[in-house]
Amino acid sequence: MNQKLTMKERNVVTNFSGSNLVKSDFAGVTAPKGQFKGSALSGSDFSGANLIGSTFKSSEMRGSRFDGANLTDCRLTALDLTNASFNQTIIVRTNFASSVLEGAKFRGVRMTDVTLSRTDLRKTTFEDCLFDGVDFKDADLSGKCLDGQTFVGVRFEKTALTDVSFKGATFKNVSFHPGFTVTKKYYRMIKTICFDGATMDKLTFAALKGMDANLSKVTII
């Protein structure tokens, strides 16, 4: 018997939409282009899983674990990811939109070409992360401590940044856009940001200086 799989068999899309999969074990599975729409996935373990190109939408995923998983080209939309874990997760060209990330933890993650839109990130933890080409759009980072993080080619568009701390952070080619005409309110918000001990390139420095940011303790690189 010929045991060789056909191309069609090797590329079957895994569809778990509309399923009750609470506390399911998906650790280490290979499920590229998987479909997880309208599913109950609270407490499920996706650690080390290959989920490239998968879609998660309108699903309950409280306490789910994605530690070490590959989320390249994944779309995560309208999810409840409260207390989810993303330790050393591969997050490349991943789109997080309109999702609950309260208590979620991103540790040791390099986010590359990622979009975080219409998302409240005030109670999300980011530790030892590198943001490379990340777009924060209509996101809320108010009061966040992002000390020591690295931001390269990052765009903050219509992002709430009141009282954010970037102490000791590194900025390269980072832009801040209100998404509309710059107003006095936006200038006041920029002034509340702490950049003490941060390092940044000349262009980022000039842009923030033009918005009256307090850069007295910033080092230009």
Side-chain angles (χ1 to χ4, degrees), residues 166-187:
F166 288 113
K167 290 181 180 179
T170 299
F171 295 85
K172 295 180 181 179
N173 192 30
V174 175
S175 59
F176 297 79
H177 293 272
F180 43 80
T181 303
V182 179
T183 63
K184 291 183 179 179
K185 182 179 179 180
Y186 191 76
Y187 277 88

PDB file of all heavy atoms in Angstrom, residues 166-187:
ATOM      1  N   PHE A 166       8.201  54.671  30.205  1.00  0.00           N
ATOM      2  CA  PHE A 166       9.146  54.041  29.287  1.00  0.00           C
ATOM      3  C   PHE A 166      10.571  54.194  29.831  1.00  0.00           C
ATOM      4  O   PHE A 166      11.526  54.355  29.079  1.00  0.00           O
ATOM      5  CB  PHE A 166       9.079  54.704  27.905  1.00  0.00           C
ATOM      6  CG  PHE A 166       7.838  54.411  27.100  1.00  0.00           C
ATOM      7  CD1 PHE A 166       6.936  55.419  26.826  1.00  0.00           C
ATOM      8  CD2 PHE A 166       7.605  53.146  26.596  1.00  0.00           C
ATOM      9  CE1 PHE A 166       5.796  55.168  26.055  1.00  0.00           C
ATOM     10  CE2 PHE A 166       6.468  52.884  25.821  1.00  0.00           C
ATOM     11  CZ  PHE A 166       5.568  53.896  25.550  1.00  0.00           C
ATOM     12  N   LYS A 167      10.722  54.133  31.133  1.00  0.00           N
ATOM     13  CA  LYS A 167      12.048  54.318  31.724  1.00  0.00           C
ATOM     14  C   LYS A 167      13.039  53.274  31.179  1.00  0.00           C
ATOM     15  O   LYS A 167      12.758  52.076  31.179  1.00  0.00           O
ATOM     16  CB  LYS A 167      11.977  54.177  33.242  1.00  0.00           C
ATOM     17  CG  LYS A 167      11.244  55.318  33.949  1.00  0.00           C
ATOM     18  CD  LYS A 167      11.244  55.107  35.460  1.00  0.00           C
ATOM     19  CE  LYS A 167      10.511  56.236  36.172  1.00  0.00           C
ATOM     20  NZ  LYS A 167      10.482  56.022  37.649  1.00  0.00           N
ATOM     21  N   GLY A 168      14.187  53.747  30.711  1.00  0.00           N
ATOM     22  CA  GLY A 168      15.222  52.841  30.238  1.00  0.00           C
ATOM     23  C   GLY A 168      14.890  52.108  28.959  1.00  0.00           C
ATOM     24  O   GLY A 168      15.605  51.182  28.560  1.00  0.00           O
ATOM     25  N   ALA A 169      13.807  52.505  28.295  1.00  0.00           N
ATOM     26  CA  ALA A 169      13.417  51.835  27.052  1.00  0.00           C
ATOM     27  C   ALA A 169      14.272  52.320  25.883  1.00  0.00           C
ATOM     28  O   ALA A 169      14.929  53.361  25.949  1.00  0.00           O
ATOM     29  CB  ALA A 169      11.941  52.104  26.757  1.00  0.00           C
ATOM     30  N   THR A 170      14.243  51.536  24.790  1.00  0.00           N
ATOM     31  CA  THR A 170      14.980  51.893  23.575  1.00  0.00           C
ATOM     32  C   THR A 170      13.991  52.150  22.451  1.00  0.00           C
ATOM     33  O   THR A 170      13.095  51.336  22.209  1.00  0.00           O
ATOM     34  CB  THR A 170      15.940  50.760  23.164  1.00  0.00           C
ATOM     35  OG1 THR A 170      16.888  50.541  24.218  1.00  0.00           O
ATOM     36  CG2 THR A 170      16.684  51.114  21.889  1.00  0.00           C
ATOM     37  N   PHE A 171      14.168  53.280  21.761  1.00  0.00           N
ATOM     38  CA  PHE A 171      13.276  53.662  20.666  1.00  0.00           C
ATOM     39  C   PHE A 171      14.079  53.883  19.388  1.00  0.00           C
ATOM     40  O   PHE A 171      15.041  54.650  19.377  1.00  0.00           O
ATOM     41  CB  PHE A 171      12.533  54.963  20.993  1.00  0.00           C
ATOM     42  CG  PHE A 171      11.581  54.876  22.149  1.00  0.00           C
ATOM     43  CD1 PHE A 171      12.028  55.054  23.449  1.00  0.00           C
ATOM     44  CD2 PHE A 171      10.238  54.619  21.936  1.00  0.00           C
ATOM     45  CE1 PHE A 171      11.155  54.994  24.523  1.00  0.00           C
ATOM     46  CE2 PHE A 171       9.348  54.547  23.005  1.00  0.00           C
ATOM     47  CZ  PHE A 171       9.812  54.728  24.293  1.00  0.00           C
ATOM     48  N   LYS A 172      13.651  53.224  18.316  1.00  0.00           N
ATOM     49  CA  LYS A 172      14.266  53.447  17.007  1.00  0.00           C
ATOM     50  C   LYS A 172      13.151  53.557  15.963  1.00  0.00           C
ATOM     51  O   LYS A 172      12.371  52.623  15.784  1.00  0.00           O
ATOM     52  CB  LYS A 172      15.201  52.289  16.639  1.00  0.00           C
ATOM     53  CG  LYS A 172      16.412  52.154  17.551  1.00  0.00           C
ATOM     54  CD  LYS A 172      17.306  50.997  17.129  1.00  0.00           C
ATOM     55  CE  LYS A 172      18.502  50.861  18.064  1.00  0.00           C
ATOM     56  NZ  LYS A 172      19.378  49.698  17.668  1.00  0.00           N
ATOM     57  N   ASN A 173      13.071  54.714  15.323  1.00  0.00           N
ATOM     58  CA  ASN A 173      12.070  54.951  14.285  1.00  0.00           C
ATOM     59  C   ASN A 173      10.657  54.688  14.797  1.00  0.00           C
ATOM     60  O   ASN A 173       9.874  53.947  14.197  1.00  0.00           O
ATOM     61  CB  ASN A 173      12.359  54.070  13.058  1.00  0.00           C
ATOM     62  CG  ASN A 173      11.535  54.475  11.846  1.00  0.00           C
ATOM     63  OD1 ASN A 173      11.181  55.647  11.692  1.00  0.00           O
ATOM     64  ND2 ASN A 173      11.218  53.510  10.995  1.00  0.00           N
ATOM     65  N   VAL A 174      10.321  55.306  15.913  1.00  0.00           N
ATOM     66  CA  VAL A 174       9.003  55.153  16.530  1.00  0.00           C
ATOM     67  C   VAL A 174       8.183  56.410  16.271  1.00  0.00           C
ATOM     68  O   VAL A 174       8.688  57.532  16.359  1.00  0.00           O
ATOM     69  CB  VAL A 174       9.128  54.899  18.044  1.00  0.00           C
ATOM     70  CG1 VAL A 174       7.758  54.852  18.704  1.00  0.00           C
ATOM     71  CG2 VAL A 174       9.883  53.598  18.287  1.00  0.00           C
ATOM     72  N   SER A 175       6.910  56.220  15.943  1.00  0.00           N
ATOM     73  CA  SER A 175       6.051  57.379  15.651  1.00  0.00           C
ATOM     74  C   SER A 175       4.817  57.396  16.541  1.00  0.00           C
ATOM     75  O   SER A 175       4.303  56.350  16.942  1.00  0.00           O
ATOM     76  CB  SER A 175       5.638  57.388  14.176  1.00  0.00           C
ATOM     77  OG  SER A 175       4.938  56.204  13.842  1.00  0.00           O
ATOM     78  N   PHE A 176       4.362  58.601  16.829  1.00  0.00           N
ATOM     79  CA  PHE A 176       3.180  58.825  17.656  1.00  0.00           C
ATOM     80  C   PHE A 176       2.184  59.648  16.841  1.00  0.00           C
ATOM     81  O   PHE A 176       2.487  60.771  16.432  1.00  0.00           O
ATOM     82  CB  PHE A 176       3.554  59.574  18.934  1.00  0.00           C
ATOM     83  CG  PHE A 176       4.490  58.817  19.842  1.00  0.00           C
ATOM     84  CD1 PHE A 176       5.852  58.765  19.578  1.00  0.00           C
ATOM     85  CD2 PHE A 176       4.011  58.147  20.956  1.00  0.00           C
ATOM     86  CE1 PHE A 176       6.721  58.070  20.410  1.00  0.00           C
ATOM     87  CE2 PHE A 176       4.868  57.452  21.793  1.00  0.00           C
ATOM     88  CZ  PHE A 176       6.224  57.403  21.516  1.00  0.00           C
ATOM     89  N   HIS A 177       1.006  59.074  16.570  1.00  0.00           N
ATOM     90  CA  HIS A 177       0.004  59.751  15.756  1.00  0.00           C
ATOM     91  C   HIS A 177      -1.331  59.796  16.497  1.00  0.00           C
ATOM     92  O   HIS A 177      -1.817  58.762  16.951  1.00  0.00           O
ATOM     93  CB  HIS A 177      -0.205  59.009  14.427  1.00  0.00           C
ATOM     94  CG  HIS A 177       0.979  59.064  13.515  1.00  0.00           C
ATOM     95  ND1 HIS A 177       1.179  60.074  12.612  1.00  0.00           N
ATOM     96  CD2 HIS A 177       2.035  58.221  13.377  1.00  0.00           C
ATOM     97  CE1 HIS A 177       2.308  59.856  11.948  1.00  0.00           C
ATOM     98  NE2 HIS A 177       2.851  58.738  12.401  1.00  0.00           N
ATOM     99  N   PRO A 178      -1.937  60.963  16.590  1.00  0.00           N
ATOM    100  CA  PRO A 178      -3.242  61.065  17.250  1.00  0.00           C
ATOM    101  C   PRO A 178      -4.371  60.529  16.379  1.00  0.00           C
ATOM    102  O   PRO A 178      -5.471  60.287  16.875  1.00  0.00           O
ATOM    103  CB  PRO A 178      -3.397  62.573  17.474  1.00  0.00           C
ATOM    104  CG  PRO A 178      -2.599  63.191  16.376  1.00  0.00           C
ATOM    105  CD  PRO A 178      -1.414  62.279  16.183  1.00  0.00           C
ATOM    106  N   GLY A 179      -4.091  60.326  15.081  1.00  0.00           N
ATOM    107  CA  GLY A 179      -5.129  59.832  14.189  1.00  0.00           C
ATOM    108  C   GLY A 179      -6.019  60.936  13.672  1.00  0.00           C
ATOM    109  O   GLY A 179      -6.967  60.702  12.938  1.00  0.00           O
ATOM    110  N   PHE A 180      -5.717  62.160  14.083  1.00  0.00           N
ATOM    111  CA  PHE A 180      -6.480  63.340  13.661  1.00  0.00           C
ATOM    112  C   PHE A 180      -5.553  64.533  13.868  1.00  0.00           C
ATOM    113  O   PHE A 180      -4.374  64.369  14.185  1.00  0.00           O
ATOM    114  CB  PHE A 180      -7.766  63.497  14.482  1.00  0.00           C
ATOM    115  CG  PHE A 180      -7.559  63.242  15.959  1.00  0.00           C
ATOM    116  CD1 PHE A 180      -7.014  64.215  16.778  1.00  0.00           C
ATOM    117  CD2 PHE A 180      -7.888  62.007  16.513  1.00  0.00           C
ATOM    118  CE1 PHE A 180      -6.799  63.978  18.120  1.00  0.00           C
ATOM    119  CE2 PHE A 180      -7.681  61.760  17.872  1.00  0.00           C
ATOM    120  CZ  PHE A 180      -7.136  62.756  18.675  1.00  0.00           C
ATOM    121  N   THR A 181      -6.022  65.709  13.710  1.00  0.00           N
ATOM    122  CA  THR A 181      -5.200  66.900  13.924  1.00  0.00           C
ATOM    123  C   THR A 181      -4.726  66.940  15.376  1.00  0.00           C
ATOM    124  O   THR A 181      -5.503  66.709  16.303  1.00  0.00           O
ATOM    125  CB  THR A 181      -6.007  68.175  13.618  1.00  0.00           C
ATOM    126  OG1 THR A 181      -6.488  68.111  12.277  1.00  0.00           O
ATOM    127  CG2 THR A 181      -5.146  69.422  13.798  1.00  0.00           C
ATOM    128  N   VAL A 182      -3.443  67.215  15.558  1.00  0.00           N
ATOM    129  CA  VAL A 182      -2.887  67.268  16.910  1.00  0.00           C
ATOM    130  C   VAL A 182      -3.576  68.371  17.704  1.00  0.00           C
ATOM    131  O   VAL A 182      -3.669  69.514  17.271  1.00  0.00           O
ATOM    132  CB  VAL A 182      -1.368  67.528  16.864  1.00  0.00           C
ATOM    133  CG1 VAL A 182      -0.812  67.614  18.285  1.00  0.00           C
ATOM    134  CG2 VAL A 182      -0.664  66.422  16.098  1.00  0.00           C
ATOM    135  N   THR A 183      -4.051  68.001  18.897  1.00  0.00           N
ATOM    136  CA  THR A 183      -4.771  68.951  19.745  1.00  0.00           C
ATOM    137  C   THR A 183      -4.004  69.205  21.040  1.00  0.00           C
ATOM    138  O   THR A 183      -3.050  68.496  21.373  1.00  0.00           O
ATOM    139  CB  THR A 183      -6.163  68.397  20.099  1.00  0.00           C
ATOM    140  OG1 THR A 183      -5.981  67.186  20.867  1.00  0.00           O
ATOM    141  CG2 THR A 183      -6.964  68.086  18.839  1.00  0.00           C
ATOM    142  N   LYS A 184      -4.449  70.195  21.779  1.00  0.00           N
ATOM    143  CA  LYS A 184      -3.825  70.492  23.069  1.00  0.00           C
ATOM    144  C   LYS A 184      -3.963  69.298  24.009  1.00  0.00           C
ATOM    145  O   LYS A 184      -3.074  69.011  24.808  1.00  0.00           O
ATOM    146  CB  LYS A 184      -4.467  71.734  23.686  1.00  0.00           C
ATOM    147  CG  LYS A 184      -4.138  73.019  22.942  1.00  0.00           C
ATOM    148  CD  LYS A 184      -4.755  74.220  23.646  1.00  0.00           C
ATOM    149  CE  LYS A 184      -4.410  75.518  22.915  1.00  0.00           C
ATOM    150  NZ  LYS A 184      -5.015  76.708  23.573  1.00  0.00           N
ATOM    151  N   LYS A 185      -5.083  68.606  23.905  1.00  0.00           N
ATOM    152  CA  LYS A 185      -5.305  67.420  24.740  1.00  0.00           C
ATOM    153  C   LYS A 185      -4.253  66.362  24.456  1.00  0.00           C
ATOM    154  O   LYS A 185      -3.744  65.713  25.376  1.00  0.00           O
ATOM    155  CB  LYS A 185      -6.707  66.864  24.482  1.00  0.00           C
ATOM    156  CG  LYS A 185      -7.052  65.661  25.341  1.00  0.00           C
ATOM    157  CD  LYS A 185      -8.471  65.164  25.057  1.00  0.00           C
ATOM    158  CE  LYS A 185      -8.813  63.948  25.907  1.00  0.00           C
ATOM    159  NZ  LYS A 185     -10.187  63.455  25.639  1.00  0.00           N
ATOM    160  N   TYR A 186      -3.908  66.167  23.197  1.00  0.00           N
ATOM    161  CA  TYR A 186      -2.891  65.173  22.831  1.00  0.00           C
ATOM    162  C   TYR A 186      -1.522  65.598  23.361  1.00  0.00           C
ATOM    163  O   TYR A 186      -0.775  64.771  23.883  1.00  0.00           O
ATOM    164  CB  TYR A 186      -2.850  65.005  21.314  1.00  0.00           C
ATOM    165  CG  TYR A 186      -2.026  63.815  20.873  1.00  0.00           C
ATOM    166  CD1 TYR A 186      -2.529  62.517  20.994  1.00  0.00           C
ATOM    167  CD2 TYR A 186      -0.753  63.977  20.341  1.00  0.00           C
ATOM    168  CE1 TYR A 186      -1.778  61.420  20.598  1.00  0.00           C
ATOM    169  CE2 TYR A 186       0.005  62.876  19.941  1.00  0.00           C
ATOM    170  CZ  TYR A 186      -0.517  61.606  20.066  1.00  0.00           C
ATOM    171  OH  TYR A 186       0.233  60.508  19.677  1.00  0.00           O
ATOM    172  N   TYR A 187      -1.209  66.890  23.256  1.00  0.00           N
ATOM    173  CA  TYR A 187       0.047  67.399  23.796  1.00  0.00           C
ATOM    174  C   TYR A 187       0.119  67.160  25.298  1.00  0.00           C
ATOM    175  O   TYR A 187       1.164  66.769  25.832  1.00  0.00           O
ATOM    176  CB  TYR A 187       0.189  68.901  23.504  1.00  0.00           C
ATOM    177  CG  TYR A 187       0.725  69.232  22.135  1.00  0.00           C
ATOM    178  CD1 TYR A 187      -0.123  69.376  21.047  1.00  0.00           C
ATOM    179  CD2 TYR A 187       2.096  69.406  21.931  1.00  0.00           C
ATOM    180  CE1 TYR A 187       0.362  69.687  19.793  1.00  0.00           C
ATOM    181  CE2 TYR A 187       2.602  69.716  20.674  1.00  0.00           C
ATOM    182  CZ  TYR A 187       1.731  69.855  19.604  1.00  0.00           C
ATOM    183  OH  TYR A 187       2.227  70.144  18.366  1.00  0.00           O
TER     184      TYR A 187
END
